[in-house]
């Protein structure tokens, strides 16, 4: 069986050890000959990589392992890039969240002004990695889950339309696992879904079990009462109190359209007043993650390094991330499995902009993806999506053209920003905070 060579871009990510363990667990169906880590922060990456090197040597010594900040070394002779970079790291996520809150506006990693600010930082970083991959391994595929995925995907559509990149998000995966659990079904893979929207902005319209039975009535009963909170996961992601709150709040999000099941991220658009009231402008999700996941993961790495062994270490497998192996296998082995991907619409949502990057089910095989048509969508969703996709497109145009005007328009059109005045105040402060990360806006 062919063995694959993988580069993890964002080697210093908090998710890297969990994803490495997940790759090892799936080794039988996806054999690996080489894993390389790539990052542009050598000090951060070294801690994760040295610990992973010890782990690999003790568990899978047959896998070649290296880590580097040199693009030629990182991207030569590879089959897949798994990309999870965070340009600006948590220090900048904290600013994305706290600056809008100063003006009474939702501060969130991927939604509203915070997400748009993050987008302006991410576009260049993701395009750079895509270019390295194409230069050194032109046949490789990039599986990208670097955020904000909606904006990054639109940027790659505009700037690298023929690149071998698949943009994917894990939120629907997690929510589908929860819905399967509500129905007493072992795996979400037994469900066949229809879904339409943008990334972090979508709805399930149909869900069937493996015999074609409609599961929506049963799922609706749960969501209407407790959101997704009836089926909290046993995995280690999305378990903090703030995530629980989001899963519970989904019941109020659902109330807007009881025909469909919403993505949890719609909370920020439908209930921004509630979200702001429940935010602490001095302590946001970035602080929670720095004190939680980041600390836990880096403490575990330092512990392995200082003891010189991974025996009894605190690394935890990121089990739900096995969708990444599913996706790599779909390409490598032409499995023609269904995935929700972020792809150019091209008519799959009939009554929506053909050029929009939409999140819809696709069939994935050796030659990439094919869309599954979702037909016409209701006015409510269409209206919301038109506004949101315009914000995303304007950010990408602002980045390409270096346009202050378009960035101000992007902030202004966002549903969670109350006025052009507030948009401008936030934008001006964000320009200052993002010097060196954003292109200069004129
Ligand atoms: P993190 O800050 O711990 O890790 C990101 C790493 O990327 C850091 O080590 C950083 O140095 C590196 N990096 C930054 N800019 C880079 C560049 N230009 N080139 C190479 N490396 C660079 O962040 P994290 O919390 O582990 O998250 C990583 C990413 O994964 C984020 O973008 C996050 O939003 C994303 N994510 C996405 C999903 C999804 O559903 N799509 C799920 C989870 C996480
Ligand atoms: C979900 C989303 C990701 C996002 C993550 C944030 O998984 O799909 O896109 O990055 O949540 O989680 P965090 O724990 O960093 O707040
Ligand atoms: Mn996501």
């Amino acid at each position: 069986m062919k063995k694959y060579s993988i580069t993890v871009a964002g080697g210093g990510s908090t998710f890297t050890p969990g994803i490495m363990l997940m790759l090892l667990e799936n080794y039988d169906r996806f054999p690996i000959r080489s894993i390389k880590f790539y990052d542009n922060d050598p000090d951060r990456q070294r801690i994760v990589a040295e610990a992973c090197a010890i782990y690999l040597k003790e568990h899978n010594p047959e896998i070649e392992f290296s880590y580097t900040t040199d693009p030629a070394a990182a991207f030569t002779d590879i089959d897949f890039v798994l990309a999870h970079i965070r340009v600006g790291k948590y220090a900048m996520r904290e600013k994305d969240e706290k600056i809008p809150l100063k003006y009474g506006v939702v501060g969130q990693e991927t939604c509203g002004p915070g997400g748009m600010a993050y987008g302006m930082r991410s576009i260049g970083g993701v395009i750079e990695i895509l270019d390295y991959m194409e230069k050194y391994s032109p046949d490789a595929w990039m599986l990208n889950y670097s955020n904000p995925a909606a904006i990054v995907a639109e940027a790659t559509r505009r700037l690298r339309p023929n690149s071998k990149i698949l943009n994917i998000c894990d939120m629907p995966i997690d929510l589908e696992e929860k819905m399967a659990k509500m129905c007493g079904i072992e795996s979400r893979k037994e469900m066949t879904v229809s879904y339409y929207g943008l990334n972090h902005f979508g709805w399930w319209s149909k869900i069937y079990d493996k015999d074609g039975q409609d599961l929506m009535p049963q799922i609706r009963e749960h969501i209407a009462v407790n959101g997704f909170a009836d089926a909290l996961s046993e995995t280690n992601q999305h378990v903090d109190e703030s995530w629980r709150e989001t899963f519970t709040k989904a019941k109020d999000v659902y109330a807007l359209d009881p025909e469909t099941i919403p993505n949890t991220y719609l909370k920020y658009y439908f209930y921004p007043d509630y979200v702001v009231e429940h935010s602490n402008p001095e302590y946001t999700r970035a602080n929670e993650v720095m004190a939680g996941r980041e600390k836990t993961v880096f403490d575990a790495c330092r512990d392995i390094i200082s003891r010189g062994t991974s025996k009894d270490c605190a690394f935890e497998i990121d089990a739900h991330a096995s969708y990444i192996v599913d996706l790599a296998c779909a390409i490598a082995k032409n499995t023609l499995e269904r995935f929700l991907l972020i792809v150019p619409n091209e008519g799959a949502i009939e009554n929506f902009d053909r050029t929009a990057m939409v999140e819809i089910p696709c069939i994935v095989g050796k030659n990439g993806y094919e869309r599954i048509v979702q037909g016409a969508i209701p006015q409510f969703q269409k209206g919301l999506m038109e506004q949101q996709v315009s914000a995303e497109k304007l950010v990408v145009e602002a980045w390409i053209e270096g346009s202050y005007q378009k960035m101000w328009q992007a902030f202004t059109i966002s549903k969670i920003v109350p006025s052009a005045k507030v948009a401008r105040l936030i934008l001006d402060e964000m320009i200052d905070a993002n010097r060196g990360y954003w292109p200069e806006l004129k």
Side-chain angles (χ1 to χ4, degrees):
M1 202 185 333
K2 182 177 156 114
K3 291 189 167 189
Y4 298 94
S5 173
I6 288 166
T7 293
V8 175
S13 157
T14 57
F15 293 108
T16 298
I19 284 181
M20 183 189 72
L21 264 58
M22 182 279 298
L23 289 171
L24 301 182
E25 179 151 299
N26 286 275
Y27 186 88
D28 286 347
R29 64 180 178 126
F30 189 66
I32 297 167
R33 69 181 158 87
S34 154
I35 300 180
K36 296 192 262 191
F37 290 177
Y38 168 77
D39 204 290
N40 66 358
D41 178 341
D43 297 331
R44 184 178 176 91
Q45 173 166 257
R46 187 178 307 112
I47 301 167
V48 176
E50 285 294 324
C52 288
I54 294 170
Y55 190 97
L56 275 168
K57 213 165 127 202
E58 291 177 342
H59 291 82
N60 293 68
E62 72 284 6
I63 298 176
E64 269 176 55
F65 177 73
S66 60
Y67 63 97
T68 181
T69 55
D70 171 33
F75 296 97
T76 299
D77 182 33
I78 55 164
D79 302 302
F80 292 99
V81 176
L82 310 186
H84 54 209
I85 64 166
R86 183 186 292 286
V87 179
K89 295 174 278 189
Y90 287 114
M92 291 308 296
R93 176 175 179 176
E94 188 178 0
K95 292 187 183 174
D96 294 342
E97 293 168 350
K98 289 185 178 172
I99 294 172
L101 279 173
K102 280 198 205 171
Y103 302 91
V105 172
V106 171
Q108 214 280 327
E109 180 194 24
T110 63
C111 303
M116 292 188 264
Y118 186 13
M120 289 291 272
R121 295 196 301 277
S122 284
I123 294 171
V126 171
I127 298 269
E128 184 180 70
I129 289 171
L130 197 50
D131 288 348
Y132 291 146
M133 179 185 89
E134 292 188 335
K135 178 170 177 196
Y136 297 110
S137 290
D139 294 330
W141 280 89
M142 178 160 161
L143 311 184
N144 181 55
Y145 36 101
S146 310
N147 269 318
I151 290 170
V152 167
E154 168 66 5
T156 56
R157 184 192 72 85
R158 286 285 305 268
L159 300 167
R160 300 291 184 272
N162 301 314
S163 291
K164 290 168 124 179
I165 176 170
L166 296 180
N167 291 291
I168 191 160
C169 168
D170 69 354
M171 197 74 252
I173 307 268
D174 183 55
L175 298 175
E176 284 178 15
E177 273 167 6
K178 289 179 165 49
M179 291 189 277
K181 203 168 165 184
M182 285 171 199
C183 299
I185 290 174
E186 197 142 319
S187 161
R188 65 173 182 87
K189 289 188 185 175
E190 290 177 25
M191 306 190 315
T192 305
V193 310
S194 294
Y195 183 97
Y196 60 81
L198 313 168
N199 178 237
H200 291 185
F201 205 96
W203 294 262
W204 282 268
S205 56
K206 291 178 195 153
I207 305 181
Y208 298 112
D209 73 7
K210 62 179 190 308
D211 302 317
Q213 295 296 320
D214 187 3
L215 296 173
M216 288 291 265
Q218 212 176 326
I219 296 170
R220 284 193 189 105
E221 277 180 29
H222 284 269
I223 308 270
V225 180
N226 288 321
F228 292 96
D230 278 354
L232 292 176
S233 52
E234 286 122 38
T235 61
N236 51 353
Q237 218 198 336
H238 306 139
V239 290
D240 289 344
E241 188 47 42
S242 55
W243 272 108
R244 263 167 211 267
E245 186 281 321
T246 293
F247 293 131
T248 306
K249 189 68 185 168
K251 77 166 194 269
D252 297 334
V253 178
Y254 166 77
L256 268 298
D257 176 20
E259 292 301 308
T260 55
I261 307 293
N263 192 300
T264 41
Y265 276 90
L266 289 160
K267 153 181 125 166
Y268 299 105
Y269 302 91
F270 294 176
Y271 298 101
D273 44 359
Y274 163 91
V275 170
V276 171
E277 276 162 34
H278 289 80
S279 297
N280 177 352
E282 306 296 324
Y283 195 85
T284 58
R285 179 66 189 152
N287 301 108
E288 243 174 52
V289 176
M290 285 188 272
R293 185 173 68 237
E294 187 181 36
K295 185 174 183 312
T296 311
V297 169
F298 280 81
D299 282 354
C301 290
R302 289 195 180 93
D303 170 64
I304 293 172
I305 296 165
S306 72
R307 290 189 296 119
T309 176
S310 67
K311 198 166 173 291
D312 302 322
C313 76
F315 275 1
E316 281 184 58
I317 183 167
D318 200 348
H320 91 291
S322 61
Y323 74 91
I324 296 164
V325 168
D326 298 337
L327 189 57
C329 280
I331 294 166
K333 302 179 179 177
N334 202 32
T335 64
L336 304 178
E337 206 179 316
R338 278 169 85 125
F339 295 87
L340 297 188
L341 295 181
I342 306 156
V343 297
N345 182 27
E346 300 284 355
I349 300 173
E350 186 190 313
N351 51 347
F352 195 61
D353 185 346
R354 293 181 69 83
T355 71
M357 290 303 282
V358 295
E359 196 164 279
I360 51 168
C362 296
I363 295 171
V364 181
K366 194 174 170 48
N367 299 304
Y369 64 85
E370 282 189 64
R371 301 166 185 82
I372 296 174
V373 169
Q374 298 300 301
I377 59 172
Q379 193 64 46
F380 176 61
Q381 282 84 355
K382 179 169 174 280
L384 290 161
M385 282 164 60
E386 274 169 356
Q387 183 178 24
Q388 176 62 14
V389 85
S390 300
E392 291 161 1
K393 281 178 173 290
L394 282 162
V395 170
V396 174
E397 287 178 18
W399 190 90
I400 294 171
E401 297 165 21
S403 166
Y404 179 94
Q405 196 73 38
K406 289 202 166 159
M407 202 59 189
W408 185 23
Q409 290 174 354
F411 275 34
T412 303
I413 209 169
S414 170
K415 184 166 167 45
I416 61 185
V417 177
S419 75
K421 178 185 161 194
V422 173
R424 190 161 198 157
L425 289 169
I426 298 173
L427 176 57
D428 288 343
E429 194 165 336
M430 281 185 153
I431 288 173
D432 261 346
N434 280 279
R435 275 190 212 290
Y437 287 113
W438 286 13
E440 199 187 333
L441 300 185
K442 294 204 181 86

